[in-house]
Each structure stands twice: as C-alpha cells, then as structure tokens.
Amino acid sequence: MKTGIETIINKCCVLWGFDKNVVMGKSRIQPIPRIKAMIAYTIRDTFRLPLKKISDILGCNHTTIIYYLKMYDSEYKYNQEFRNFAIAMKGVSSDIRTEFQEELEEELNEIIG
C-alpha cells in the first residue's frame, strides 16, 4: 500500500507541477492546500483508509483531512482546472486499485484483524 500512496503523492505533485517536499511541507499558500485536498481524497477513494491514517500520511490532524475533503468537493464543483486534475487522478486511483488489489486485501485483513 505504501507504494500506491507514494504513487498518488508523486502523480499529484507532477500534475500540479510542484516538488513533493514543498507539497508535503507545512506551507498553506495556495495551491498547496488544494493539492493536499486532492491527495487526501485520492488516498481515501483508493484505499478507504480512516481519516487518522490519512492525517498521519500528510502530517496533519484528522480535522484538517475533513477540511481537505470538503475543500475537494467545493473545488471540484466550481474550479474547472481542479476538476480536470481530479479526473486525471481518478484514473490513477483506478490503476492503483487494480495493480495493488492483492496487497490491499492483505492490508485490510491486517487492519480488520
């Protein structure tokens, strides 16, 4: 699953044209929060992870992830550029789900117990 998460983060950074270190840092200057919103949404959509796990990956708390998910919905609705990027990331999410299906099932079994 880590490989899939890294793929999501890297693809999103390339799509937006930002360095991974900048995106994963503490900056709140736009479009960094939008990028993080897209990463959070894509990880949630792909792996169905709890908010706490996603927040650990992005280095924030779970309430920030809630904020990002709401931001994603708003941006998707009103921002055409964001929507185009989001559609591209949905393709990445689908590819990862297919590629890592076996690994996902093992991870979910570990989480569920």
Side-chain angles (χ1 to χ4, degrees):
M1 181 161 41
K2 283 186 178 187
T3 313
I5 290 171
E6 285 296 319
T7 301
I8 289 169
I9 294 169
N10 291 334
K11 294 271 185 177
C12 210
C13 290
V14 167
L15 194 62
W16 284 86
F18 277 82
D19 183 70
K20 180 181 171 182
N21 294 326
V22 173
V23 171
M24 298 307 286
K26 297 290 182 186
S27 176
R28 291 188 282 174
I29 297 172
Q30 285 296 352
I32 302 299
R34 286 188 188 113
I35 299 169
K36 286 185 174 183
M38 189 169 291
I39 290 169
Y41 181 89
T42 307
I43 289 172
R44 181 131 195 232
D45 183 52
T46 305
F47 298 109
R48 307 282 189 233
L49 293 176
L51 299 179
K52 176 67 175 126
K53 192 89 160 161
I54 298 170
S55 69
D56 291 343
I57 293 166
L58 293 180
C60 54
N61 64 45
H62 74 283
T63 56
T64 304
I65 299 303
I66 293 169
Y67 172 77
Y68 286 155
L69 296 175
K70 287 180 182 178
M71 176 194 287
Y72 179 94
D73 291 339
S74 176
E75 290 291 326
Y76 191 89
K77 187 174 183 180
Y78 297 110
N79 183 332
Q80 182 64 46
E81 179 185 34
F82 185 91
R83 188 171 31 255
N84 292 340
F85 289 164
I87 290 168
M89 287 306 294
K90 286 182 187 224
V92 170
S93 177
S94 177
D95 291 346
I96 289 171
R97 242 183 270 135
T98 303
E99 185 178 332
F100 295 100
Q101 188 63 41
E102 212 173 278
E103 187 178 333
L104 277 173
E105 289 172 6
E106 290 173 15
E107 291 275 341
L108 287 174
N109 288 334
E110 286 179 24
I111 292 170
I112 294 171

